[in-house]
Amino acid sequence: MASRESPAGKARRSSTRAATLQIRLPRPSDRLDQDAEHCSVLLHGEWRRIRFHDYDEIYRIPGLYEQLFHDILDCQSPDVIAKLLKEELQRGGYEPDSLRVLDLGAGNGLVGEQLRNIGVSGLVGVDIIPEAREAALRDRPDVYDAYHVTDVTRLSPALHRDLASTGFNTLSCVAALGYADIPPEAFRAAFNLVGDGGWIAFNIKDRFLSDEDTSGFAAFIRRLRDEGVLELMTMQRYQHRRNVHGEPLHYVAIIGTKHRNIPVEFVP
Ligand SMILES: C[S@@+](CC[C@H](N)C(=O)[O-])C[C@H]1O[C@@H](n2cnc3c(N)ncnc32)[C@H](O)[C@@H]1O
């Protein structure tokens, strides 16, 4: 059973942690790409195999997401994105309590929690699966002012009106772009709900920004920068977490400011 724990993980465990679960990772001989990673969890006396991308199953088990990704695999991303955003705010002389954040792919609220820790005042979560919202309300009931289960590319007129009138000046999107998660079209829809001049804080796997990228994200983000849609303030490669074999997975954290909406033709 894996059991390494980072200092950040230990600190986070204080708030909402359920009893420790027994978790087994695959053998090192099973070479797995990130989207095929899985673990086994002992539940009611039986080992259940769960894919890392089956977020619905993971969120239904209190504490599993935190124990697996943060304690065992040492995920740093919510801390890194919140810290870099705070640094940019300080550099520009902005107060965090002026931020009204839309957190896209909010999951069970770990990013929201970090944003509250840096002093963000307004925070709305959005995720595409109901289990994410249920877990966030169960484990971090005070973090979000509102949390919507929706596909941002197909918002109902009422929810679109509601979100558009919130006056978002920041978008966060952490550990949720690429693979089978958030596509460029959904990123565009959320980005366009933020006002011009707003902050955009997100991360993406380094491979998706490389010349070999086939996801379309590399060209998409290059175009946002080159055509003056997104001004990049910080781009930092860092260790997002380890994979199930203990090897580092690197992501790039990006903090920028929005200059204008993303036109539909920019989406790959
Ligand atoms: C790895 S989790 C990250 C959760 C959280 N941001 C964090 O860092 O702890 C990815 C989340 O993105 C959500 N997601 C995937 N596709 C989405 C979409 N099209 N729109 C909104 N959320 C989506 C998943 O349901 C999941 O909760």
Side-chain angles (χ1 to χ4, degrees):
M1 191 178 73
S3 62
R4 263 175 299 174
E5 184 172 11
S6 70
K10 279 183 191 139
R12 192 179 298 105
R13 276 184 356 128
S14 60
S15 56
T16 54
R17 187 55 54 85
T20 303
L21 297 157
Q22 286 196 57
I23 300 172
R24 279 186 190 151
L25 300 179
R27 289 185 307 269
S29 53
D30 304 335
R31 296 308 304 174
L32 297 170
D33 193 16
Q34 202 176 331
D35 54 352
E37 286 185 303
H38 57 82
C39 66
S40 298
V41 185
L42 188 62
L43 294 168
H44 312 297
E46 290 191 2
W47 287 98
R48 195 199 300 171
R49 184 177 155 137
I50 301 181
R51 282 184 67 241
F52 286 8
H53 274 85
D54 290 338
Y55 299 118
D56 54 345
E57 267 198 85
I58 292 180
Y59 292 144
R60 270 191 229 112
I61 304 168
L64 176 56
Y65 188 94
E66 290 85 342
Q67 200 179 318
L68 176 61
F69 292 113
H70 289 262
D71 299 349
I72 297 174
L73 300 176
D74 199 19
C75 179
Q76 301 292 331
S77 286
D79 306 275
V80 168
I81 296 290
K83 177 176 150 283
L84 292 177
L85 177 60
K86 184 179 176 190
E87 285 172 7
E88 278 307 323
L89 292 170
Q90 283 172 342
R91 219 187 314 272
Y94 298 95
E95 293 298 329
D97 68 3
S98 64
L99 262 47
R100 290 179 301 282
V101 184
L102 177 62
D103 185 22
L104 176 65
N108 62 356
L110 286 166
V111 174
E113 189 168 64
Q114 292 304 320
L115 293 173
R116 288 291 191 200
N117 285 345
I118 67 164
V120 160
S121 60
L123 187 55
V124 172
V126 169
D127 203 286
I128 204 159
I129 59 170
E131 291 80 2
R133 180 177 187 274
E134 286 156 19
L137 298 190
R138 178 192 65 211
D139 299 338
R140 296 176 183 80
D142 300 325
V143 163
Y144 293 99
D145 300 316
Y147 193 124
H148 304 283
V149 176
T150 187
D151 177 344
V152 282
T153 64
R154 295 157 188 259
L155 291 174
S156 68
L159 184 53
H160 187 271
R161 261 196 314 278
D162 177 14
L163 295 176
S165 67
T166 303
F168 291 116
N169 57 13
T170 307
L171 173 69
S172 58
C173 182
V174 179
L177 290 180
Y179 289 115
D181 290 336
I182 297 176
E185 180 57 44
F187 183 78
R188 169 183 175 266
F191 186 102
N192 288 355
L193 287 166
V194 172
D196 291 355
W199 296 95
I200 309 292
F202 66 105
N203 69 351
I204 187 161
K205 190 175 170 65
D206 58 356
R207 195 175 76 205
F208 293 146
L209 288 185
S210 73
D211 291 340
E212 292 83 52
D213 171 59
T214 52
S215 72
F217 270 107
F220 178 57
I221 290 169
R222 212 176 299 126
R223 194 165 180 194
L224 296 185
R225 182 199 60 197
D226 293 348
E227 304 212 21
V229 171
L230 175 65
E231 182 181 350
L232 302 181
M233 322 290 280
T234 302
M235 269 185 102
Q236 184 175 303
R237 187 171 179 270
Y238 68 100
Q239 183 175 316
H240 159 63
R241 67 168 169 86
R242 288 190 293 268
N243 68 13
V244 290
H245 309 303
E247 300 153 347
L249 293 174
H250 289 106
Y251 275 44
V252 178
I254 298 177
I255 311 290
T257 51
K258 170 181 171 175
H259 285 202
R260 60 188 173 93
N261 278 354
I262 303 176
V264 68
E265 65 273 14
F266 277 30
V267 174

